[in-house]
Each structure stands twice: as structure tokens, then as C-alpha cells.
Amino acid sequence: ERIEEIARERAVATIDLGLVEEGIEIGKKMMAEMIPNYSAPTSAPDGDTLVAAVVPNDCFFGPCPGSAVQVVDLARPDASTRSYEGAQELVTDLAISPSGDLVAAVPAFAFASETDNITVWRADRPDRPHLRLTLPDLGIELQPTPELLPPGWVAFSPDGSRLYASGAGRVAEFDLGTGELVRELPGLGALALSPDGRTAVTASADR
């Protein structure tokens, strides 16, 4: 139950492990009762609603059952909101299709599952995902410090038929009609599409 005589810089400490464990449990309870954080706010094409990822206070990376994507009515931001359920990991980026009928979410890919790590919902079916897709190349996270979540990016093509996603590696292009991977684009993550959808910008190690 106790650890006696721990030498540290000429000092001796006595630690009651029972109290330590009790303190951890109290901390978890306090965090669970706190207001959750939000990330990746994205406006719908009609400008009437906003979607944002809910980040539970007791979840920092990896599988996160409490994750959700919340919808806010901008005309009534204090009204009760609905949520897109089924995001199994922390969401770092969101996208809404140009027609507003699909919502896509991606996690911090370096900490994500190797399969089914991209979630797509129909806008009118928030209760369950419409598609789960797999980014083939999660990449290697090279951030020198972990204070920020590893990257994850997602974007729809202008006509809404394709979904592009990347982490810290190649960009994947998916056919949303079939859910199949169409191709991969070279790069080290980061994603932006031109308005006409004909040009993609990715990060590169080249100087």
C-alpha cells in the first residue's frame, strides 16, 4: 500500500498509493463534469448551421467513444443541438459537401486506427455513419513536441462526388458513390483544393 524511502535529491518521500489512486479518480470525475471542448468548426453551404467536433475532457488521443460532431443552428445558438454519432476517435477536421448532403470527419491519423478511420454521414441521418473509409497511408508524425494533435485533413470535390483525405503521408481520393479508393497523391499531408477541383496542394519535404 505504501512506498517508503524514495531518494530524490537527498530527500526521502513517503507516498500513500491509495491516496494517489483516489486523487486520480476524483480528477477523472471532475474532468467528466466539465464543459467539453470543441474543434474544427465548419459552416454549412447555406450559412445557417455550423458543425464542430466535440472533444471529451477525458479523451486525448486514440479511440474515443465519446466523440461526436455537433450541429449548431446559427440563428438559435442556445437551442438544443443534434449530433452526428459514430466518430470513434478524436476529430481533427470536418468538411461538408457543396450541396450540404454529406458530412465527413477525420481523426489525428498518427493516433488513429489503421482501418475505417474516415467517417461520412448523410446530413439527414446523424444517427449512424453512411460510409467508413480507410486512409491507406497514415504517414509518420514528425512534430518535435506533442502539444498539438497530429494532422488530419479532409475536403470534398466541388461536385461532391469525391472525398480527399490525408494525415502525414499521401493524399487519398475516394469515390463517394462506391466508397472505393480511386488513387493516392504524393506528399506529406496537408490538403487544399482549387475551387474548380482540378488542382490539389499537399505538403512536401522538398526545398
Side-chain angles (χ1 to χ4, degrees):
E1 288 294 320
R2 301 173 71 87
I3 296 177
E4 302 283 352
E5 297 184 350
I6 299 176
R8 172 191 264 177
E9 298 178 355
R10 301 181 181 179
V12 176
T14 300
I15 302 174
D16 188 324
L17 293 182
L19 292 177
V20 171
E21 292 174 1
E22 181 182 348
I24 291 173
E25 292 304 315
I26 292 173
K28 287 181 178 178
K29 184 176 185 297
M30 290 175 64
M31 291 186 72
E33 292 173 352
M34 291 170 61
I35 297 173
N37 297 306
Y38 295 87
S39 67
T42 304
S43 178
D46 59 12
D48 293 335
T49 57
L50 183 80
V51 294
V54 179
V55 183
N57 293 292
D58 59 349
C59 190
F60 299 98
F61 55 83
C64 194
S67 294
V69 175
Q70 205 164 83
V71 183
V72 178
D73 185 337
L74 294 178
R76 299 183 302 156
D78 295 330
S80 60
T81 60
R82 70 181 190 276
S83 296
Y84 290 97
E85 305 295 337
Q88 298 174 339
E89 300 175 87
L90 284 177
V91 173
T92 58
D93 197 24
L94 291 164
I96 301 175
S97 62
S99 63
D101 62 333
L102 295 174
V103 176
V106 296
F109 281 112
F111 295 153
S113 303
E114 294 185 358
T115 59
D116 295 339
N117 44 37
I118 301 169
T119 308
V120 182
W121 295 268
R122 292 191 185 278
D124 59 351
R125 291 299 307 270
D127 57 315
R128 60 185 177 86
H130 167 59
L131 289 172
R132 289 197 187 276
L133 308 172
T134 297
L135 184 71
D137 180 17
L138 302 183
I140 299 175
E141 176 52 37
L142 299 177
Q143 286 189 142
T145 56
E147 73 273 10
L148 298 175
L149 281 174
W153 291 277
V154 65
F156 285 93
S157 63
D159 65 0
S161 67
R162 296 284 195 269
L163 186 74
Y164 297 85
S166 72
R170 296 186 300 274
V171 174
E173 178 183 346
F174 297 94
D175 183 328
L176 290 172
T178 63
E180 294 181 354
L181 177 68
V182 176
R183 58 179 171 171
E184 292 182 90
L185 307 177
L188 296 175
L191 172 64
L193 287 178
S194 62
D196 62 6
R198 299 179 64 180
T199 303
V201 179
T202 64
S204 171
D206 296 336
R207 295 180 179 272

